[in-house]
Amino acid sequence: MPMTTDIAAILAQTHPYDLLTPEERADLAAQSGKQAVAAGETVYRIGQPVTHLCLILSGRIEITDEGGDLLSILGPRNSFGERGLMRDGIAPVTATATEDSVLLTIAAPVFKALVATHPRVLRFFDRTRPTAARRQDITTMALSELMTKHPLTCAPDTPLIEAARQMRALGVSCIIATVDGAARGILTTGDITARAVAEGRAPETPVSQVMTPDPLSLPPSALVADVLHAMVERGITHMPVTEGGKLVGILTQTDLTRFQATSSAALIREIATAPDSATLARIVARIPELLVQLVGAQNPHQTVTRLITDIGDAATRRLLALAEAKLGPPPVPYLWLACGSQGRQEQTGVSDQDNCLILDDAVTPPDDAYFAALAQFVSDGLNEAGYFYCPGDMMATNIKWRQPLRVWRQYFRGWINKPDTEAQMLASVMFDLRPIGGTTDLFSDLQSETLAQAAKNSIFVAHMVSNSLKHHPPLGLFRGFATARSGEHKNTIDLKHAGVVPVVDLGRIYALTGQLTQTNTRARILAAIEARAVSPSGGRDLLDAYDMIADTRLAHQAAQIKRGEKPDNFMPPADLSDFERSHLRDAFVVIKTMQNAAGSGRGYLN
C-alpha cells in the first residue's frame, strides 16, 4: 500500500495523470509496476514490441532513431513508449538508459483502457494530427462529390441533329464527343446556336465540326474552387472530369449557380480582366486578407495553399496575355512553367517567383528577343504584384532558363549523369516544374522521360537523397526545440526550412524513386503510399507531421497579418501551448526518423 500511495502521489503531480480523479489514480497505481534499468541498458530497440508505457521516476533515458542520432534525453516525469503503443505496438525508436534509472511501467492493456475511457488523456498521448472542425464550404469539396457521373456522350462523327435530340431528351446543356472513353470535344447549346444555327450549317454536319475540341478537364480529386477559377478566368461553362485519360463525369456552371463563389474566385475573376500590371498588383495585394479568412475558417493547409496558388497562376497567365497583346503573337509555341512553391501548389503569404520557359525546337536565335521581352514583362509584373524576383535568378529572364525543348532534355540528362552539388540543387528545383501557360505538350514527354532516366540511375538517386537530408528538424534535447541563438530571428524556429522543406524533399525523393508525376508534396506522399514507395505506416506518420507543421505555419502567418505585421516563417515556440509544443516536437521527430530511413536506403518506416 505505501508504494501504491507514493505512485499515486507522483501521478497526481504529472500530466496527464493529474486529469484523473484520486480514485482513478489509485487504481492506475495499483495496476502499475516498477522497473530498474542500469546505465547503458536498453529498454527497447527499434522494431521490437512495446509492452508498457514507461514513466521515468528517476534517472535519464536517451531516445535515438534508426541512424543512432539523438532525438531526446528524458528525465523524471517524462513518459515514453506511447508512439509505439498508439500505432502498431512496435517501437519506432530506441530507448536506452544513460544512468541508473527507475521506471513506472503501465502495461499495454491498462494504457489502452486508460486512453479509451479518458478523452483528455488520449488527446495528450495521441500524436496523430488533431482533427479540427471544418466549416462546410462547397468550394473546398472534391469534384467527385458533386459531378454528374456518366455524362451524355457521342462519337465525333455523330450528326448534329442527332446530338441535339439526345440533349433535348435528357434535358442537358452539353454532350461530350469521346473516342475509346477519352473526351475529344464538347458540344454545348451555346455552340449549336453560335456555330451551327447562326452559320447555317446542315443538320447532318458532324459534331466534330462544331464542338470545342480538346476541352479543359480536371480530375475527380480537384476542388470545386478549381472549376470556379477556370470558369471565371477562361469564360467556360462546362467542366469535363477525367481520370487516367477517361471521361468520368461533368460539372456545369448551372450546377454551381446556387453556390456563392469564394473570395479566391472573385479575385481571379478580377485578375482575368485586369487591363495592366498595376491593376493586377492591387488585386493580388488582397491575398493576405484571403489567407486570414481561409485560416480563420479552419481550412486545412492544402486547401489554403491551393487557392492562393490558383491566384498566382491566374496572375501569371494574365501577364502572359498582356505581354502577347503588347509584343504580338509568339514566333513559335512556348510553355511557361513554375517551380518552387508555386510549382507544387503550396504558396502561402510569403512567396518569391521561380519560373522558366520551354520553347519549341523550331525557335531560332533571333526569336529570343521576343521571349526575352515576354519573360521580362511577366517577371516584372509578378514582382510588382508581390512575387519577388528569385534571389537565385531562377527565372525565365535568365537565358539559361529560357531554352528550346532539346536543351532542356540536355539539362536534365546532364544533371542525372553528373550529379554534382549544383546538379542536385537544380534538379531538386526543376523536379517541381508545373505548366502554367502555353503549349503543355512541350512538357509531358520531358517529364516522363526524365523521371524514367533518373529513377534508373542509382548514383543520382543516392545524391538526391543525400541532398534532401541537409535540412534538419529543429530538435533540441530534453523535449525542447533547437531555436536560433542569435540574429534577427533569435529564439525562433524556422517552420519553412526546418519543418516544411524536409518533408518537401522527402516527397520529391518518393516521387523520383516511384516515377510519380505529382508535384504537390501531399499528393506525392499519398501517391507514394499507394505505389509502395513508402510504407503505409511511415507515410501516414509523415502526412500527420507535415499537416501539423504546415497548419502551424499558416496560423502563425495569419496571426502576424492580423497584427499588421509582414508574414514570415519564424515562430517563437513560446507562442504555443505546452500541448501544441509537445505535438509539434513529435512531428519533427517523425520527420527526422523518416529522413534517417531514407538515408539508410530503406526510405520508409516498418
Side-chain angles (χ1 to χ4, degrees), residues 340 344 346 424-425 427-432 461 463-473 496-513 519-522 524-525 528 542 546 591 594-595 598-599 603:
R344 297 190 304 273
E346 294 166 4
Q424 295 168 37
M425 183 275 291
S428 294
V429 173
M430 293 302 174
F431 273 120
D432 294 346
V461 173
H463 277 279
M464 286 290 289
V465 170
S466 176
N467 188 60
S468 74
L469 304 182
K470 293 180 179 178
H471 293 99
H472 305 289
K496 178 181 178 180
H497 291 100
V500 170
V501 170
V503 184
V504 170
D505 290 339
L506 286 170
R508 190 182 295 117
I509 294 301
Y510 301 151
L512 173 62
T513 56
T519 54
N520 175 265
T521 298
R522 207 172 191 283
R524 280 172 165 170
I525 297 172
L542 189 60
Y546 179 54
I591 295 172
M594 293 299 286
Q595 283 184 322

Side-chain angles (χ1 to χ4, degrees), residues 364-497:
T364 62
D367 293 334
D368 187 62
Y370 176 94
F371 291 110
L374 179 139
Q376 195 66 57
F377 183 95
V378 175
S379 185
D380 288 347
L382 289 173
N383 182 69
E384 185 179 0
Y387 301 100
F388 304 116
Y389 298 125
C390 174
D393 202 20
M394 187 75 68
M395 298 181 295
T397 50
N398 182 340
I399 192 171
K400 183 175 183 179
W401 310 124
R402 186 180 68 248
Q403 291 291 333
L405 177 59
R406 63 178 180 275
V407 175
W408 281 99
R409 284 196 165 97
Q410 293 171 6
Y411 282 166
F412 278 104
R413 193 179 302 116
W415 296 333
I416 292 168
N417 292 335
K418 188 180 178 182
D420 57 22
T421 302
E422 182 183 18
Q424 295 168 37
M425 183 275 291
L426 294 174
S428 294
V429 173
M430 293 302 174
F431 273 120
D432 294 346
L433 284 174
R434 182 173 60 88
I436 302 298
T439 305
T440 57
D441 288 347
L442 289 170
F443 181 64
S444 54
D445 289 343
L446 175 64
Q447 183 185 40
S448 58
E449 290 171 9
T450 301
L451 284 172
Q453 293 169 8
K456 292 177 183 177
N457 190 319
S458 59
I459 296 176
F460 174 77
V461 173
H463 277 279
M464 286 290 289
V465 170
S466 176
N467 188 60
S468 74
L469 304 182
K470 293 180 179 178
H471 293 99
H472 305 289
L475 291 170
L477 303 180
F478 304 105
R479 286 201 183 274
F481 295 102
T483 59
R485 296 183 178 181
S486 61
E488 179 184 359
H489 304 297
K490 183 179 180 181
N491 297 327
T492 68
I493 54 177
D494 185 344
L495 290 172
K496 178 181 178 180
H497 291 100

